[in-house]
Amino acid sequence: MLAPQKQSPAIYVHHLAGYIAGLISMTCRKGTYFSTAIMFTELSLLPVSVMSVMDRLGVSKVRPLYKNTFLIRVIMWLVTRTFAVPFIIVRGLEFTSRMIKLQRASGESPIGNRAASGEPSIRECLATLKARLPTAVSGGVVCDYSLFMVLNVVWTIQLLQKFLKQNKKVVRIVT
């Protein structure tokens, strides 16, 4: 296995929650967007695997190759994880908004104001999602995303602290 030797139990809880949310979504055949859209954040772990291989091969942590890989890890982490949950939620609401507009145009009666026209409100989109998704799916998504956000804040702080500790010279040059 290419993962680092010492793993926090939070990593396993995080992945287990994701698997359970995905399994519930696939079983109910509803809400799969929310359980699968989050998977792109795992791309941020590619540099972790590369660094693990370098560790096992004995590459020194002071070598530029290792430091550059660590920098790429920090950048990929920040890019993929910082805005992941807000972006996915906004995209999900946009999709729901389009669905409501199509239902209105076809004469179906979506949840909320049936006679409304124009852009659906966020409240109407959330009500539609709540009505259309089984409780297990919506509850699983809320729990999984909440856990994901909390753990990512903790892990981002830890990653930045470790990066800054190992690259003190870089920090002095910038400041």
Side-chain angles (χ1 to χ4, degrees), residues 35-75:
S35 60
T36 56
I38 203 82
M39 291 298 139
F40 85 93
T41 62
E42 296 300 321
L43 289 172
S44 66
L45 298 177
L46 291 173
V48 175
S49 295
V50 172
M51 291 173 70
S52 182
V53 169
M54 285 194 277
D55 286 340
R56 300 228 169 126
L57 293 174
V59 175
S60 171
K61 291 182 180 181
V62 295
R63 294 206 43 194
L65 176 64
Y66 194 92
K67 287 185 174 194
N68 289 338
T69 305
F70 200 159
L71 178 61
I72 291 169
R73 175 185 175 190
V74 170
I75 291 169

Side-chain angles (χ1 to χ4, degrees), residues 112-125:
N113 188 353
R114 296 178 184 152
S117 61
E119 206 62 36
S121 67
I122 291 176
R123 178 175 279 161
E124 188 176 1
C125 291

Side-chain angles (χ1 to χ4, degrees), residues 20-41:
I20 291 170
L23 184 62
I24 291 171
S25 296
M26 291 184 337
T27 303
C28 296
R29 295 180 182 213
K30 301 235 183 215
T32 54
Y33 164 77
F34 292 102
S35 60
T36 56
I38 203 82
M39 291 298 139
F40 85 93
T41 62

